[in-house]
Amino acid sequence: MVNEDGPIVGIDLGTTNSVVAAVIDGQAQVLGEEGEKLLPSVVALDQQGRLITGIVARNQLAAFPDRTIASIKRRMGSMEKVSLGDQAFTPPEISAMILRRLRDRASRALGQPVARAVITVPAFFDEHQRQATIEAGELAGLKVERFINEPTAATLVYHAGSHDRKQILVYDFGGGTFDVSIVRMERGVIEVLSSKGDTHLGGDDLDRLLLDYVADKFQEEHTLDLRENTSTRYRLLQACEQAKIHLSTEESVQLTEEFIAEKDGQPLNLVMTVTRAEFEELIAPLVERTISSVDEAVRDAALTIHQLDDLVLVGGSTRIPLVEKRLREEFLREPSRAVDPDLAVALGAAVQAAMIDGQSIGPVLVDITGHTLGIEVFEGFSFSGPKLAFSPIIHRNSPLPARYEDAYRTLHDEQERVEIHVLQGEHAEVERNRSIGKFLLDLETGGGDRSKIIVRFDLSLDGTLSVTATQPATGASKELTIKNALSQFQAEERDHAQARLGSLFESSAELLEDEELAANHHWAREDAAHGNASRNAKFPAAYALLEQAQRVRASVSGEDAEEIQTLVEQLKQALDAEDQATVTRLSEELDDILFYVQ
Ligand code: AMP
């Protein structure tokens, strides 16, 4: 059966490697290319300035670090740009290049264009990081239908369809991130009881530890630091990664790199033996950090180790014997390894994608939020002035979608407005949390019931947070949707990014042309007639205006906000009806009011 919106694929957008998979004839399968299942998450420009991705890009990392980018996932959610050749790109733009390649892989393998995906993210990705991933998808022409946490995806692969009650620990140690979740399955429903993780801990860190160890020893011997030259450092890093992988099966490894440096006009070779014991001593503190997170996750889930039924290992770094040994010692049981730890997450995402598509496979998923969300409140006065505190509304590990509300009071009866400052984090002190948005609500004064304010948080499955503040006595209310507030792109910037990537994609010999992608496919033509993407293309200015209006509305109050809201609703209806004349009229009105308000 073919869904008229086209197939949905599951994507593991990893720090080191990415994988795309889909359910075909009831079986989750990896969609590879020329026998390769993993796509190294590396993008680069070749000597002619053309875009290259995957293995070819990874191979040039050492030789051309200025033209090659790896591990971009670590920067998702930050505003920091990275240079590729003579241009600077945002992290979503770079991730879009990887996603575009995966989308092409999937379109080729399935024989039809793919425009929708379930993308996995570490359970600990915050709203900024998820938003950046949605933007990467959009730039690559993929609608992100849903995020699922990586450990949750792995559970789906192992236990889809099981009806027994089970409590499973998923330990995911990949290239760039570490994540542990306690998951409960019961009567076909999967619920994440707790999640802990570290978005900056992975196999890459182990490579760097080994690199420092080797470089220090080399420096002692030759008084020359191999880390100073960028391309030598990359070359050594790759050699260290290979050595690390060998040490998972061998007791010792010899690193041999000829002509790695030059001193006094003489070439220097690196020849060094590293034993597994030496390597284990280096990495033990990091492995212990992961074990502490596991203990915390078990505690957060209000369980004991003995209540866990299964231990699922995910990610390439779980092949390290020390990791397995420590887990066996802690949990007194053998971990499950039936599915390749590199592919489990993508396969689970494919299972979830098939479920969204209406195919009945496996259990229902209940996801959780990885962070606490709340607002800033006044707690009294201290010597240094007013004392503010963080008041949580949605607690970490709450199942999604989540809707919670709390009641607050104004400071005094004559207060005319109240600021709702939305924060994300786990600390009582305001400054130690992350500010994710704020807005003002105008109040009617007079005390009594009027001093009561209700703040409601609605967190959707895709991580969009709606915050509504209401004065129940008068009905005065205002809402803020954080998705827009978190966006890294303004509408014009996104158009610019799309155009820029479009020309890079065109230059790439690896990627399918857009027309090629859509050629002769029924649903693609259907989409052109009815789909969102085509409506977006038909009324790009109106859609850009809508986004701008939503951002502006979040920062104004009273009549202006209401007027903008009314016009936004009317414009959306006109867009749905594809009523060109009304779209034009309403766009002009909305444009006028935005101009006036700003
Ligand atoms: P992933 O993000 O799951 O693709 O994991 C990639 C990470 O796993 C990289 O840091 C690899 O170096 C590491 N890795 C892959 N295979 C092994 C192995 N046999 N032993 C140790 N680390 C490995």
Side-chain angles (χ1 to χ4, degrees):
M1 192 185 68
V2 178
N3 185 308
E4 66 173 23
D5 294 327
I8 313 182
V9 294
I11 293 182
D12 169 9
L13 184 61
T15 310
T16 322
N17 295 300
S18 296
V19 183
V20 58
V23 170
I24 303 171
D25 299 331
Q27 284 280 316
Q29 294 178 26
V30 171
L31 307 176
E33 194 178 339
E34 291 166 9
E36 296 294 340
K37 292 187 168 173
L38 306 180
L39 177 76
S41 307
V42 184
V43 302
L45 296 179
D46 69 7
Q47 259 147 334
Q48 284 77 43
R50 289 176 309 199
L51 176 67
I52 49 175
T53 48
I55 295 178
V56 195
R58 191 186 59 191
N59 288 349
Q60 74 158 50
L61 191 59
F64 305 109
D66 305 345
R67 297 207 306 258
T68 314
I69 297 174
S71 301
I72 194 65
K73 186 171 176 178
R74 284 177 183 254
R75 297 179 198 228
M76 291 293 273
S78 82
M79 303 299 278
E80 186 190 343
K81 290 196 175 184
V82 287
S83 318
L84 185 61
D86 54 11
Q87 294 194 59
F89 291 89
T90 62
E93 286 177 299
I94 300 295
S95 291
M97 300 174 191
I98 300 162
L99 285 173
R100 177 59 200 266
R101 176 80 186 270
L102 294 172
R103 178 186 149 205
D104 280 4
R105 260 189 185 187
S107 300
R108 277 199 189 96
L110 296 175
Q112 57 178 323
V114 170
R116 302 192 293 153
V118 167
I119 299 189
T120 61
V121 286
F124 238 65
F125 251 30
D126 64 19
E127 315 315 325
H128 289 265
Q129 291 162 311
R130 286 166 197 252
Q131 179 60 30
T133 310
I134 292 180
E135 282 163 359
E138 276 174 8
L139 292 173
L142 277 173
K143 178 164 184 265
V144 181
E145 293 286 348
R146 176 136 174 211
F147 285 123
I148 55 170
N149 291 334
E150 286 159 8
T152 314
T155 308
L156 267 180
V157 135
Y158 272 98
H159 295 280
S162 158
H163 282 255
D164 301 342
R165 181 191 165 120
K166 278 196 178 137
Q167 278 147 181
I168 299 153
L169 187 146
V170 185
Y171 177 99
D172 180 350
F173 197 10
T177 53
F178 167 71
D179 227 292
V180 53
S181 292
I182 313 291
V183 172
R184 176 182 289 153
M185 294 192 51
E186 196 167 12
R187 289 191 297 277
V189 174
I190 296 189
E191 188 181 357
V192 184
L193 299 179
S194 69
S195 238
K196 274 254 138 204
D198 193 331
T199 46
H200 288 85
L201 173 60
D204 296 352
D205 297 290
L206 312 184
D207 302 341
R208 275 192 285 272
L209 283 178
L210 188 56
L211 176 134
D212 281 334
Y213 181 71
V214 171
D216 284 348
K217 275 178 118 180
F218 189 89
Q219 196 169 9
E220 269 170 35
E221 197 179 327
H222 300 285
T223 58
L224 191 140
D225 191 350
L226 294 175
R227 288 160 289 206
E228 273 172 1
N229 178 302
T230 317
S231 85
T232 310
R233 184 175 179 280
Y234 272 107
R235 188 174 152 197
L236 188 58
L237 196 60
Q238 286 191 324
C240 286
E241 187 191 4
Q242 284 312 309
K244 170 190 78 174
I245 291 173
H246 275 114
L247 286 171
S248 290
T249 45
E250 318 285 332
E251 284 300 326
S252 73
V253 65
Q254 191 174 54
L255 275 121
T256 310
E257 292 291 315
E258 287 182 0
F259 307 131
I260 190 143
E262 204 181 87
K263 192 177 171 197
D264 307 328
Q266 293 297 313
L268 292 177
N269 298 333
L270 168 76
V271 183
M272 195 180 294
T273 300
V274 179
T275 64
R276 188 188 285 174
E278 283 172 294
F279 178 62
E280 289 186 343
E281 200 180 321
L282 286 177
I283 65 165
L286 293 191
V287 175
E288 289 316 307
R289 235 165 84 186
T290 71
I291 300 290
S292 310
S293 294
V294 169
D295 290 339
E296 277 182 60
V298 176
R299 262 204 310 276
D300 279 0
L303 294 176
T304 63
I305 298 285
H306 301 285
Q307 290 170 298
L308 298 173
D309 299 297
D310 194 8
L311 168 59
V312 170
L313 299 190
V314 180
S317 303
T318 59
R319 294 200 177 96
I320 295 172
L322 178 67
V323 169
E324 209 177 317
K325 175 171 160 265
R326 287 292 295 116
L327 286 170
R328 221 184 283 115
E329 283 168 2
E330 289 285 315
F331 300 104
L332 314 168
R333 75 166 57 81
E334 282 302 312
S336 286
R337 274 198 175 281
V339 178
D340 185 333
D342 291 321
L343 307 179
V345 169
L347 291 169
V351 171
Q352 177 65 31
M355 282 154 63
I356 292 176
D357 226 4
Q359 302 180 37
S360 65
I361 302 173
V364 181
L365 199 64
V366 180
D367 236 328
I368 57 160
T369 163
H371 293 276
T372 300
L373 294 157
I375 60 167
E376 178 184 290
V377 292
F378 175 79
E379 263 208 333
F381 286 99
S382 68
F383 290 125
S384 52
K387 204 164 155 245
L388 300 171
F390 177 45
S391 167
I393 295 182
I394 297 181
H395 286 270
R396 185 157 63 97
N397 294 337
S398 304
L400 295 183
R403 169 182 280 203
Y404 291 93
E405 60 180 41
D406 241 327
Y408 299 88
R409 302 202 86 78
T410 55
L411 278 180
H412 55 81
D413 292 350
E414 297 313 311
Q415 194 170 327
E416 289 178 350
R417 48 177 49 187
V418 59
E419 185 185 67
I420 310 293
H421 183 193
V422 186
L423 302 164
Q424 176 188 64
E426 315 304 324
H427 299 282
E429 294 139 63
V430 167
E431 310 74 50
R432 297 183 65 197
N433 298 295
R434 191 167 183 177
S435 167
I436 59 168
K438 48 171 85 161
F439 64 98
L440 290 171
L441 172 69
D442 286 325
L443 304 173
E444 282 187 27
T445 56
D449 279 357
R450 293 184 177 188
S451 60
K452 184 173 174 184
I453 312 291
I454 303 284
V455 179
R456 193 179 75 211
F457 275 29
D458 267 293
L459 186 60
S460 72
L461 276 167
D462 67 4
T464 304
L465 176 69
S466 300
V467 180
T468 315
T470 311
Q471 186 180 29
T474 62
S477 180
K478 203 157 159 195
E479 188 185 323
L480 168 70
T481 303
I482 303 284
K483 189 168 176 173
N484 289 328
L486 291 173
S487 173
Q488 290 197 0
F489 287 105
Q490 303 291 314
E492 320 80 64
E493 282 170 357
R494 179 171 309 146
D495 290 348
H496 176 68
Q498 233 140 15
R500 188 157 80 132
L501 291 192
S503 59
L504 258 182
F505 290 156
E506 265 168 37
S507 79
S508 168
E510 294 168 340
L511 300 178
L512 293 174
E513 297 282 329
D514 272 341
E515 302 79 56
E516 212 180 317
L517 209 61
N520 301 325
H521 286 288
H522 174 65
W523 77 260
R525 286 198 299 274
E526 284 267 311
D527 190 49
H530 307 293
N532 265 335
S534 65
R535 282 205 297 270
N536 254 315
K538 205 163 170 184
F539 302 112
Y543 276 94
L545 198 65
L546 272 183
E547 282 188 28
Q548 187 192 353
Q550 265 147 0
R551 277 197 304 276
V552 174
R553 204 201 62 183
S555 60
V556 296
S557 55
E559 276 176 19
D560 291 340
E562 275 169 33
E563 200 170 334
I564 294 174
Q565 182 59 21
T566 311
L567 281 170
V568 162
E569 297 303 331
Q570 289 173 349
L571 181 54
K572 279 185 185 164
Q573 281 172 13
L575 283 165
D576 279 339
E578 303 201 35
D579 176 347
Q580 175 80 60
T582 314
V583 168
T584 310
R585 179 176 59 77
L586 291 171
S587 296
E588 278 166 10
E589 280 181 39
L590 188 57
D591 202 9
D592 281 347
I593 181 168
L594 294 183
F595 178 73
Y596 157 73
V597 167
Q598 283 174 316

